[in-house]
Amino acid sequence: MNFYKKIIRSRKLRFQILRLLRFIPDKPTLQWQYRMKLGRKLNLKDPKRYSEKLQWMKLYYRDPVMQQCADKYTVREYIESKGLGHTLTKLYAVFHSPDEIVLDDLPNKFVMKLSNGSATNLICTDKSTLNVEDVRRKFRDFYAQSYTSAGREWVYTTDKKPVIIVEELLEDDTQRDDSLCDYKIMCFGGEVHCIICHYDRFVDHRSNIYDTDWNDRNITGNYPQGEGVKRPENLEEMLDVARTLSKDFPAVRVDLYSIKGKTYFGELTFFHCSGYVKYTPDSFDFELGEKFVLPERNH
């Protein structure tokens, strides 16, 4: 699916190319991407697949609350408004530009993020190893990437300049590679359909898809299946959190973490993998599509 990444290995260069191609309208761009990545024609007139309906949403539906919730900083207010502030990680600092970044008052461990970016994080496990000028330079590069949405996901394109947030670094010493199990909960209008669990990210990235009773569905997406993980002890709480956070939206992926029985909020994602996942079996794309009731077109 990502053969172009093998040809153009530099992420920075790929984003530069995307910026040059911004003059091409969204619809033909998405049609071309869909054909290239999934090997079939995009049906926008009568979409049935989940992957098709996500492309429809990119083109024809706008909800400013979705834009608020796609931002890693402004989403915190939304989480608080739903009575779920206890699931948020600690917020240590907010910087409005790379030049504002200072390290002196930060704890020894933290994660630094661009509020509207993807793969624009800095994970710090030992502050003494960081050089502030190097950190500022890294985030200048992140800012240059942040104004281009590779999949034309409008929630990330805004006139409002993103900020840099510094949050608590979550750690789980029960995992074999010290990474976190990432529970990506697929929701439709306040109902949970399944949980995509990513684990062993740093040694042999695996992903299993479970139903709400924690039965393995034996479905493969972007990553191969593994032996799986145990049912989290706080699964029911996590499902309740996901239901609460997804009620306002036709479809959203609610990302949560579970560490020693405590639920932590990760992010809200409205275009799961930009809608370009090839599932095995292929019927799962239609299964998700059946759950996804498109709203009235408003754009």
Side-chain angles (χ1 to χ4, degrees), residues 18 54 60 82 92 144 246 249 272 295:
L18 287 169
L54 284 183
Y60 302 130
K82 297 297 182 179
Y92 296 130
S246 63
F249 310 111
H272 171 57

Side-chain angles (χ1 to χ4, degrees), residues 2 9 20 46 64 90 102-103 129 131 150 182-183 205 231 240 260 267 272 295:
N2 292 328
R9 295 184 178 275
L20 292 174
D46 186 24
K90 296 175 184 175
V102 291
L103 303 178
T129 64
N131 177 283
D182 191 353
Y183 301 92
H205 194 157
R231 173 188 174 122
D240 284 343
K260 298 179 181 178
E267 62 181 66
H272 171 57

